[in-house]
Amino acid sequence: MKCYQCSTPAMYQVGDQNIPLCLDCYFKLSQIQQGDLENNERMLNYLSDEIAAQVGMPPMGPRFSPRPQPVHVGGIKLNNISVSNSVVGTINTGSIGSVDQSIPALVQLGEPALAEAIKSLSEAILQSADLTRDQRNELVEIMSVLAKEAATPKEARRSTVAQTLLDKAMKITSLANDITDVCQKWWPILVAAIGVATGG
């Protein structure tokens, strides 16, 4: 089944009419819905303060807290992955943007642990001082592919591609002593979720 908006295979069905959408188009729709939700929250905060001012009382009750501002990296808006200023100019923004998009999609699919694994591994890779710039970029590109595979139904996954890339990524990150703990914690979750066995 193709996406209603583009030629990419659909992964989601949206609304009462079950409109098919791919990962990228679903993410764009989610961003629009998120923006509407944030506007509604701000309006409710404003109305609450307005009512309190009219009756001469201090604001009462819980408020919607401000949402964290997204990070903009080379024109790409990151809502889930934290990137420090020191690496902003050295990473493949397209790949990290793709990884960032996959995180809420995995949460929607009921895979919060997998989403956290991808987020934590990606952030660790970006911050590692033991990895070279080329290694970080290669790993981010691998993570973008693995993230998309993880968000794809098992029967449609490219298991051979995932196995090769996952094995390579684990071998490269094993050279970075400063992220050993993160890798030991999160790689097994990604391996188990994608359902491939690696030798590294």
Side-chain angles (χ1 to χ4, degrees):
M1 182 187 303
K2 296 293 185 181
C3 175
Y4 182 77
Q5 294 293 323
C6 66
S7 60
T8 306
M11 294 177 57
Y12 302 91
Q13 290 184 322
V14 179
D16 295 335
Q17 296 177 332
N18 293 324
I19 298 173
L21 294 177
C22 67
L23 175 61
D24 289 339
C25 292
Y26 179 79
F27 177 71
K28 292 174 183 175
L29 174 64
S30 298
Q31 283 187 313
I32 294 170
Q33 293 173 333
Q34 186 74 10
D36 290 342
L37 180 60
E38 291 176 17
N39 287 335
N40 290 337
E41 290 174 352
R42 288 198 299 272
M43 180 56 69
L44 287 172
N45 283 343
Y46 171 80
L47 292 174
S48 177
D49 291 346
E50 184 74 9
I51 292 171
Q54 289 291 330
V55 299
M57 296 180 63
M60 300 177 64
R63 295 172 59 85
F64 290 101
S65 58
R67 294 175 179 266
Q69 293 299 307
V71 178
H72 290 266
V73 179
I76 301 295
K77 184 168 72 171
L78 303 180
N79 293 286
N80 306 286
I81 295 176
S82 299
V83 181
S84 70
N85 291 332
S86 61
V87 299
V88 165
T90 66
I91 59 175
N92 183 320
T93 55
S95 293
I96 198 62
S98 176
V99 175
D100 190 76
Q101 290 178 18
S102 72
I103 293 172
L106 287 167
V107 173
Q108 290 284 338
L109 290 171
E111 297 284 359
L114 181 53
E116 183 60 33
I118 290 173
K119 176 183 185 318
S120 298
L121 284 165
S122 298
E123 290 178 343
I125 288 166
L126 290 172
Q127 300 302 329
S128 174
D130 290 344
L131 295 170
T132 66
R133 173 178 175 171
D134 288 344
Q135 287 174 326
R136 285 197 298 269
N137 270 308
E138 182 177 10
L139 286 166
V140 167
E141 290 175 9
I142 290 174
M143 290 301 296
S144 72
V145 176
L146 293 177
K148 284 187 177 181
E149 290 300 312
T152 301
K154 288 186 177 181
E155 62 274 11
R157 288 178 187 163
R158 298 168 297 171
S159 57
T160 303
V161 173
Q163 177 173 346
T164 301
L165 292 177
L166 187 53
D167 188 48
K168 185 174 185 179
M170 292 174 67
K171 287 178 180 177
I172 295 173
T173 55
S174 69
L175 304 175
N177 293 326
D178 58 349
I179 59 173
T180 297
D181 291 344
V182 174
C183 292
Q184 288 179 344
K185 179 178 181 180
W186 295 112
W187 275 130
I189 292 177
L190 194 55
V191 171
I194 293 181
V196 294
T198 68

